Amino acid sequence: MSDAKPAVPSRRQAARLAAVQALYQWQEGQDAPAEIIEQFLKVRTGEAGEGGMRRDADRPLFKDVVEGTTTNQVALEAMVTASLAQDWTWARVDRLVRAILLAGAYELAHRGDVPWRVVINEYVEIAHAFYDKGEPSFINSVLDRVARQARPDDQK
């Protein structure tokens, strides 16, 4: 038995995880993005469990991913939908997987400062936090296709 402790997610990983949770909540349609961002930054910061955000999370990244994803929702959904397998539709995708794909697509399309491989890896790791079946592989393949659309020059 190993005494190694699991790696603590980085500040950016914590921000991405909180952004996915915020986007999941936004998809429920009960709160506007600005209200959800405010909830996470003022109330839910430091809460334990899946509903909270670590105190040291990269707040500017969290806010950018949530605002950018919600603002660009239509274009991001189109980009992701075009990257789904032929027999898949957006409506068929689980809401949490949608949140992960939208956040990943946003970063691939609008955050050129983050290498595309890092973006994909970060969101696949988030998927592993929630799923233990095929969803992480599904997310990996879809985001890889999105990266080819969003950053064709980086794929060479």
Side-chain angles (χ1 to χ4, degrees):
M1 184 158 77
S2 172
D3 289 333
K5 294 180 182 175
V8 175
S10 72
R11 294 178 67 238
R12 292 176 71 85
Q13 288 169 324
R16 287 182 174 104
L17 176 60
V20 165
Q21 293 166 331
L23 291 168
Y24 178 85
Q25 180 179 335
W26 167 69
Q27 289 181 85
E28 290 180 346
Q30 296 173 4
D31 297 309
E35 293 171 27
I36 295 168
I37 290 168
E38 176 124 351
Q39 286 173 17
F40 271 83
L41 294 178
K42 293 193 174 168
V43 178
R44 295 167 70 173
T45 296
E47 284 186 7
E50 292 181 4
M53 180 168 71
R54 254 184 28 207
R55 287 191 193 284
D56 66 340
D58 184 331
R59 290 166 173 242
L61 177 63
F62 164 79
K63 188 174 181 196
D64 180 57
V65 171
V66 176
E67 285 179 345
T69 300
T70 57
T71 299
N72 296 287
Q73 173 193 6
V74 173
L76 295 172
E77 280 184 16
M79 188 180 289
V80 172
T81 299
S83 299
L84 295 174
Q86 194 169 10
D87 59 337
W88 277 84
T89 63
W90 183 246
R92 187 173 164 196
V93 178
D94 174 77
R95 189 180 318 144
L96 179 57
V97 173
R98 284 185 197 179
I100 294 168
L101 290 172
L102 286 172
Y106 169 74
E107 284 204 57
L108 289 167
H110 298 276
R111 298 284 312 224
D113 59 314
V114 183
W116 66 272
R117 284 186 171 100
V118 171
V119 172
I120 293 170
N121 185 60
E122 291 285 305
Y123 287 100
V124 168
E125 287 302 312
I126 288 171
H128 280 292
F130 294 99
Y131 299 103
D132 58 1
K133 302 242 187 289
E135 289 87 349
S137 294
F138 173 78
I139 288 165
N140 185 47
S141 65
V142 173
L143 288 180
D144 184 64
R145 287 186 213 112
V146 169
R148 291 174 199 277
Q149 287 179 60
R151 300 189 190 181
D153 295 339
D154 292 351
Q155 305 297 316
K156 297 175 183 168

